[in-house]
Amino acid sequence: MSNTSRPRTENEALALAQNALDAVTETENRKRILAALTDADNPPLLDEVIEGLKDGWLLPQNSSEQLSVGLRLDADVLAYFLKKKPDGWQKDINRTLRKAAGL
């Protein structure tokens, strides 16, 4: 297998990945770590942030901050909210959920 061809099997892919890892010298690795730690756009996670991770979710500290999520709704439920407020159906669903949850 040449360096320009794509691996055809899982074993070829694993071998290619291992070869790439083995090719990284300790000096190169240290440079990459230092670059990552000093990247202002990608700061390291603080212990408090890591503690905030629960079940794969990082919840916002500010309750007014909204998260973009995927949500499965029954077709008739979505149709109801779309018909009621075509331009504000997501906010309407959020208000309805907050009320139902007692928030």
Side-chain angles (χ1 to χ4, degrees):
M1 181 176 76
S2 73
N3 288 344
T4 59
S5 66
R6 295 180 63 186
R8 291 185 237 179
T9 66
E10 183 178 351
N11 285 339
E12 284 182 2
L14 290 171
L16 189 63
Q18 188 61 54
N19 289 341
L21 284 173
D22 292 343
V24 176
T25 67
E26 186 62 31
T27 302
E28 289 172 325
N29 195 39
R30 287 175 193 248
K31 286 180 183 177
R32 290 177 183 176
I33 291 171
L34 180 61
L37 290 174
T38 57
D39 182 355
D41 293 329
N42 193 20
L45 292 177
L46 302 173
D47 289 341
E48 307 86 65
V49 174
I50 293 171
E51 288 298 319
L53 290 169
K54 302 289 183 200
D55 299 325
W57 289 87
L58 178 60
L59 299 177
Q61 300 299 314
N62 183 350
S63 64
S64 65
E65 184 179 344
Q66 293 187 331
L67 301 174
S68 178
V69 298
L71 180 65
R72 292 182 181 270
L73 300 171
D74 292 337
D76 58 337
V77 172
L78 181 58
Y80 168 82
F81 283 98
L82 284 170
K83 185 176 180 182
K84 185 177 168 191
K85 290 197 176 184
D87 293 332
W89 62 273
Q90 291 175 323
K91 288 181 181 179
D92 198 25
I93 288 174
N94 191 59
R95 272 192 300 274
T96 302
L97 289 171
R98 290 185 68 80
K99 184 177 177 181
L103 301 173

